[in-house]
Every structure is written in structure tokens, then in C-alpha cells.
Amino acid sequence: MSALYATTLNTFKEMGWLYREIPEHSVIEADFEAHHAKIPLHVQVFGDTHIISVVSSATLQVPASHRLPVCELLMRTNKDLNLGNFELEWESGQVMFRTTNVFPPNRHDARIIASLVHSAVAEMDRLTPFLGEIIHTPKGELLLLKVADLMKREDLLPPVPDAS
């Protein structure tokens, strides 16, 4: 077991997150209850190169007929992100958010790992209602859908947490 994988496991334990381990691949999987959806998460550690990749997935599948407006949504969203990016697996219609970090040798910071997990879950949760609006638009009405206008809808965003 690499030191980075051990730190990642310890981070999940310290945060109290339930997870499934796939040790032969240095992978941790988990499901997070977020505001809009249950978010599946896949964390893979590449110990030799000190890289961690955190991927959250949408539970909604994008039908082939709706992939172009979803791609526009992802492209417009990615433009404003500081960390990570959204992807669409074209053949399956699976939407994912991926963020990766390269650590210096023997300097694996649990706070960074926890932040990557939080970001992946939060970003997917934030995107889910917009994705749902597109997916549930009837095929014949897709030409009328303006993704840029859809993205301005604040009623689809999760509430801002209390600062208290």
C-alpha cells in the first residue's frame, strides 16, 4: 500500500465517510447524500507518481438526443471552474466531474484530499438540477432551450449554508 493511499484511507476514516475499498486497484468508492442527489464517488490513487484522481458521477444518464445541449452546459460550466472539470462519456451518456492532484513525495495532505472530495461532490450536486432540466426537456423542444438562460436560474442552486 502506498503512503498516499494510506493517507487517503485515513482521511475517509477521520471524516467519518462510509466507503468501499478496492485495494488491488488503490480505489475507494463512496456514495454521498447531497442536497439534490446521492452522488457516487470514485477515488483512485497512483502511489508511484503521488497522484490522486477524484471522480463524482451524475445519477442521470443523458440520452443521445440530449447530448449536445448537455455538452454546452458542461462547456459553459467548465469555463468558470477553478478546480476540476466536467466530462461526458459520449457513448454511455455518463456525466462525471474529475479533479486530480499531484502531491510532492511524502507530503500527502489529508486536508487537500478532503477538499478534493468535497469539491467533486458539491460540483456534481450543483450541476444535477440543470442536467435534469435538459434531460427532461422533450426532444421536440430542445431547439428552444437556451442553455445560457437555464444557467441563470438561481432556484436550481442548493441553498447557501449558514455561516453560524
Side-chain angles (χ1 to χ4, degrees), residues 14-71:
E14 288 172 11
M15 297 299 292
W17 295 332
L18 298 177
Y19 62 91
R20 298 171 300 283
E21 213 183 328
I22 305 171
E24 63 271 12
H25 297 289
S26 298
V27 168
I28 297 170
E29 293 183 337
D31 297 299
F32 286 85
E33 288 291 340
H35 180 74
H36 293 293
K38 188 174 205 172
I39 309 292
L41 190 80
H42 178 94
V43 179
Q44 186 157 13
V45 173
F46 303 92
D48 293 345
T49 52
H50 310 283
I51 297 172
I52 185 170
S53 178
V54 180
V55 180
S56 58
S57 298
T59 54
L60 302 169
Q61 293 296 117
V62 182
S65 58
H66 290 62
R67 291 194 184 139
L68 287 178
V70 166
C71 283

Side-chain angles (χ1 to χ4, degrees), residues 4-161:
L4 178 55
Y5 187 62
T7 302
T8 304
L9 281 173
N10 286 335
T11 301
F12 270 73
K13 289 174 188 169
E14 288 172 11
M15 297 299 292
W17 295 332
L18 298 177
Y19 62 91
R20 298 171 300 283
E21 213 183 328
I22 305 171
E24 63 271 12
H25 297 289
S26 298
V27 168
I28 297 170
E29 293 183 337
D31 297 299
F32 286 85
E33 288 291 340
H35 180 74
H36 293 293
K38 188 174 205 172
I39 309 292
L41 190 80
H42 178 94
V43 179
Q44 186 157 13
V45 173
F46 303 92
D48 293 345
T49 52
H50 310 283
I51 297 172
I52 185 170
S53 178
V54 180
V55 180
S56 58
S57 298
T59 54
L60 302 169
Q61 293 296 117
V62 182
S65 58
H66 290 62
R67 291 194 184 139
L68 287 178
V70 166
C71 283
E72 180 182 350
L73 173 69
L74 301 182
M75 177 209 59
R76 288 178 179 277
T77 303
N78 281 341
K79 182 180 173 206
D80 293 328
L81 291 174
N82 292 318
L83 179 68
N85 63 282
F86 282 97
E87 303 171 4
L88 174 69
E89 189 174 279
W90 190 259
E91 288 77 18
S92 70
Q94 180 65 54
V95 174
M96 297 166 285
F97 179 82
R98 181 183 316 272
T99 186
T100 302
N101 194 72
V102 181
F103 290 92
N106 303 315
R107 293 184 48 207
H108 312 129
D109 190 330
R111 293 172 301 176
I112 293 172
I113 295 168
S115 178
L116 294 170
V117 170
H118 282 293
S119 295
V121 172
E123 289 298 344
M124 186 56 72
D125 190 50
R126 185 173 63 94
L127 185 81
T128 295
F130 297 96
L131 190 58
E133 288 289 318
I134 293 174
I135 290 172
H136 294 108
T137 298
K139 185 179 174 181
E141 296 176 21
L142 282 175
L143 288 175
L144 303 174
L145 179 69
K146 302 289 184 227
V147 174
D149 291 340
L150 172 65
M151 293 178 72
K152 294 176 186 173
R153 288 191 45 195
E154 293 186 14
D155 63 306
L156 297 177
L157 294 172
V160 176

